[in-house]
Structures are given as C-alpha cells and as structure tokens.
Amino acid sequence: QKEVEQDPGPLSVPEGAIVSLNCTYSNSAFQYFMWYRQYSRKGPELLMYTYSSGNKEDGRFTAQVDKSSKYISLFIRDSQPSDSATYLCAMRGSGSYQLTFGKGTKLSVIP
Amino acid sequence: NAGVTQTPKFQVLKTGQSMTLQCAQDMNHNSMYWYRQDPGMGLRLIYYSASEGTTDKGEVPNGYNVSRLNKREFSLRLESAAPSQTSVYFCASSDRGATDTQYFGPGTRLTVL
C-alpha cells in the first residue's frame, strides 16, 4: 500500500462547478498537510497548508483534514478555467523535512 | 526576488554522458531539495540538504550526486546518464520555520537517449 493515494483523474468539470479533490494516507505520523497546484510545464506552487485536523478556507479554496479517517480534501468553489492544473497533495510528520506527495489529480475546468 | 531558479531548462544527453543541474535560491532558506517527477510516479525526493554543508539521501538517490556549494546553491550531478534518468527535475527550498513550506523552481526537462 502506498503511503499516499490520490486519484490521478483526469477530472473534467464545467465552469462554476464545485470541485472535490481527495487523498488518503496510511502513516498516522503525518501532521502537516498541503495542497500544491502545478500548471503544465511549471513547478508546483503551494496552494493550501493545514496543520493536524480541521478546515482551512482561503477564498474559493477549502482544505479539510480528517486524521481519524486518514483523509484530506480540497474543495474549489465556483471553479474557473484558470483552475485547470494538476493538484498534488503532500504531507509530512512533525519534525520531518521530507514531504510525501500524492501522484496528483489533473483537473480541467471547461468554459 | 527570483525565488528558486534552475538551469538548464532543457537538456538532451546520450547514455553515459555526465552533466550537472544547477539550482539557486535567493530567499535565504536553509534547506534545499532535489526531486524528480515522472508520469504516474509523482514527485520523488532524490537528495536534500538540511543546511549548508550537509546532504542526505532521499527516496531515489542511486545514480546521482549532489553538492551544497553555499547557502544559495545546490547542484545535482549525473555521472553516467541512463535512459531511466529521463525525467523532469525540480529543485526546492524551504525556510524550516513553523510551516516549512517548500518553494519549487521551474524544473529541468532531461532526456537521456
């Protein structure tokens, strides 16, 4: 079993839809959870950062962490064509330098 | 403030050739990382440097060497390139602060024939 599982998609939605992206993980030591966005032929950029369980909202983006289920989610409201990218979840343990990434979900938002 | 820069952007090598990928950051970060990204495999850590003067192996270090030249620069060397090293290589740096956010460079696309 991989430490982090992420459905690679591709996921195609109409503009304005609510998008839900998810990752599951097996390592209960993970404490810090991140979502990176990667546009085609670019480097990943940090989108959302969450420590431990709970929700975090930033504009149209909401990150949720459920440590009891070992499940994290990213919601995008009112999706825009500019949201078309690959979304990578990443996580690490407390005091660890090393990030473990999911394989990424490719999202297309159709105008 | 350029963030993380990488050179070259593209490179084609023949099997057995050597090359060095360069990375520099201007954010005064202590930690730097080298990843490779392959289709269906996600990002995998090759080597990292927690601070100037230290380097450690990541998940896939075989066939690579690194040098932390100073606080700003972290290079990745392929001594004898193999087709299996065809990949996109990303350098990243982090501040090792409360969030320890990693900031990525634009990547180097390497093809080994």
Side-chain angles (χ1 to χ4, degrees):
Chain A
Q1 181 189 10
K2 297 284 186 185
E3 272 199 303
V4 178
E5 300 275 4
Q6 183 177 10
D7 187 336
L11 181 62
S12 184
V13 301
E15 183 176 354
I18 297 174
V19 176
S20 173
L21 304 168
N22 312 293
C23 289
T24 59
Y25 63 95
S26 57
N27 189 342
S28 58
F30 288 145
Q31 296 275 3
Y32 298 86
F33 303 91
M34 286 137 273
W35 286 95
Y36 281 82
R37 179 175 61 195
Q38 185 175 21
Y39 290 114
S40 181
R41 296 184 171 264
K42 301 289 186 184
E45 57 178 340
L46 183 68
L47 190 60
M48 297 287 285
Y49 172 95
T50 310
Y51 170 67
S52 195
S53 285
N55 294 358
K56 185 173 184 179
E57 188 172 321
D58 184 2
R60 296 184 295 110
F61 299 90
T62 299
Q64 287 186 351
V65 175
D66 181 349
K67 289 190 68 181
S68 63
S69 301
K70 296 190 178 67
Y71 188 87
I72 70 171
S73 301
L74 177 70
F75 297 96
I76 308 174
R77 291 182 299 281
D78 188 26
S79 56
Q80 302 295 309
S82 59
D83 295 328
S84 298
T86 297
Y87 291 80
L88 304 159
C89 64
M91 47 200 80
R92 66 178 177 88
S94 178
S96 171
Y97 61 88
Q98 196 162 348
L99 287 178
T100 300
F101 285 86
K103 294 181 180 179
T105 299
K106 186 172 183 179
L107 172 68
S108 295
V109 181
I110 310 302
Chain B
N1 192 343
V4 179
T5 57
Q6 293 182 235
T7 55
K9 286 186 171 52
F10 303 93
Q11 185 72 47
V12 178
L13 293 178
K14 294 181 180 178
T15 297
Q17 287 185 317
S18 63
M19 79 161 295
T20 300
L21 282 65
Q22 306 286 355
C23 174
Q25 52 92 7
D26 62 2
M27 296 176 282
N28 201 35
H29 287 167
N30 286 311
S31 299
M32 298 185 73
Y33 311 81
W34 276 106
Y35 292 89
R36 59 179 290 173
Q37 188 175 38
D38 303 289
M41 299 296 291
L43 278 161
R44 292 181 292 169
L45 183 66
I46 305 171
Y47 270 94
Y48 74 99
S49 171
S51 61
E52 186 178 354
T54 68
T55 60
D56 281 290
K57 295 177 181 180
E59 182 184 352
V60 288
N62 291 345
Y64 305 95
N65 285 301
V66 291
S67 295
R68 183 74 183 267
L69 304 170
N70 48 54
K71 190 171 185 179
R72 289 187 63 248
E73 298 172 290
F74 188 37
S75 63
L76 178 72
R77 183 161 178 83
L78 287 70
E79 291 291 351
S80 179
S84 61
Q85 294 177 305
T86 294
S87 187
V88 182
Y89 291 86
F90 289 101
C91 177
S93 69
S94 70
D95 56 10
R96 299 292 286 173
T99 62
D100 196 27
T101 301
Q102 291 191 19
Y103 296 86
F104 285 80
T108 294
R109 292 183 172 272
L110 174 67
T111 300
V112 183
L113 301 175

